[in-house]
Amino acid sequence: MGLLAAKTVLVTGVLTESSIAFHVARLAQEQGAQVILTSFGRTMRITEAMARRLPTLAPVVELDVADPAHFEALPDQIRQHASTVDGVVHSIGYAPRAAFDFTTATWADVAPALQISAYSLQPLVAACAPLMPQGGAMVGLTLDASVAWPGYDWMGVAKAAFEATNRYCAQAYGPAGIRCNLVAAGPIRTTAATSIPAFGRFAEWGEHAPLGWDETDPTPTAKSCVALLSDWFPATTGEIVHVDGGFHATGG
Ligand code: NAD
């Protein structure tokens, strides 16, 4: 019996085989879950190709979190594949390049980062809640926003907002039995990460993390997401679990 036996999990954010979400989907299937992926626009075809590389082919439904109509349509799209959902993974991050310059970015640069990387968590939970009559688990991905990272700039601000949004989701959806937690991962070489101009500055993470850190290995992060999706964190919500080799605890 796998950790996610008989569960259905909606996984956003599979773009490439390096995507954290790809490995969450892979491990979720290995642990017995039925997985449904989301993607949007021109990346739909890419995600469909990735879905064929999973242990079991997963359906892909459309969700652009910048489009409110997509949230309205999401429950019916999911119902084409499953009647209920037990877990949802928010693995979405985006900021325009100009948002990675804190002192020059305009509101037009910052607004999409906040909408897509932070605000989107709430409408995602809201859209899935009716499909979770027995409750369930929402898991998101953050990069520890308790400090200011050089070069992370407005994306760091968006992550701080995302972490606050998670706490408010925990408050709002707890009475419905929906647990809302985040994994604060160390740096992992993905498309989103390498588009951060200062990503190279995270290169010394492994030297300072007590357990070490391999930025080419998304599996530890994905395993922790699967654990949070399982029944083994039944009384945990509004939490941020650090999966960073211990970097956060020792101050780097
Ligand atoms: P990734 O590029 O593989 O995934 C980012 C995903 O966001 C992509 O699938 C992309 O299609 C999706 N996305 C962007 N705009 C969207 C929109 N409007 N609607 C729907 N989806 C949209 O990179 P990743 O590193 O796997 O990122 C996943 C999450 O993990 C992000 O929240 C990221 O901030 C977080 N994270 C990453 C790292 C890291 O170092 N890679 C560390 C900590 C946290």
Side-chain angles (χ1 to χ4, degrees):
M1 282 280 279
L3 270 184
L4 300 182
K7 291 192 188 298
T8 299
V9 180
L10 183 77
V11 180
T12 67
V14 173
L15 181 61
T16 67
E17 229 163 312
S18 70
S19 293
I20 296 168
F22 178 84
H23 296 274
V24 178
R26 172 178 65 79
L27 289 171
Q29 287 185 342
E30 287 174 9
Q31 290 300 316
Q34 176 192 357
V35 169
I36 301 169
L37 304 179
T38 78
S39 188
F40 73 110
R42 282 179 300 161
T43 61
M44 285 289 286
R45 272 191 316 114
I46 303 171
T47 306
E48 281 161 2
M50 291 302 119
R52 291 193 285 276
R53 297 195 188 180
L54 289 169
T56 307
L57 178 67
V60 184
V61 303
E62 189 164 30
L63 177 64
D64 178 348
V65 297
D67 187 341
H70 284 203
F71 283 116
E72 270 175 49
L74 186 63
D76 281 341
Q77 288 223 62
I78 295 170
R79 280 190 197 98
Q80 289 178 18
H81 306 284
S83 53
T84 56
V85 165
D86 304 285
V88 181
V89 178
H90 181 292
S91 190
I92 293 170
Y94 170 77
R97 200 170 174 82
F100 292 98
D101 188 328
F102 186 75
T103 57
T104 61
T106 65
W107 173 240
D109 303 321
V110 172
L114 287 171
Q115 182 186 14
I116 292 167
S117 309
Y119 167 77
S120 63
L121 183 64
Q122 189 281 327
L124 180 60
V125 189
C128 294
L131 292 158
M132 303 169 97
Q134 311 295 329
M138 160 69 68
V139 178
L141 276 307
T142 189
L143 186 99
D144 183 2
S146 62
V147 295
W149 299 104
Y152 204 41
D153 296 21
W154 287 101
M155 190 62 182
V157 175
K159 284 300 190 194
F162 183 61
E163 292 177 6
T165 305
N166 178 60
R167 287 187 285 272
Y168 279 91
C169 283
Q171 177 172 259
Y173 299 102
I178 299 173
R179 295 172 284 114
C180 301
N181 294 296
L182 303 182
V183 166
I188 300 166
R189 289 212 160 267
T190 63
T191 306
T194 49
S195 66
I196 300 168
F199 183 76
R201 293 191 195 170
F202 290 124
E204 290 170 11
W205 197 282
E207 288 167 34
H208 298 289
L211 294 175
W213 183 256
D214 180 357
E215 63 178 35
T216 66
D217 185 6
T219 298
T221 302
K223 277 186 171 173
S224 304
C225 292
V226 168
L228 284 167
L229 290 168
S230 79
D231 293 335
W232 287 88
F233 280 92
T236 299
T237 196
E239 186 60 277
I240 301 175
V241 177
H242 292 83
V243 181
D244 62 353
F247 185 98
H248 74 285
T250 54

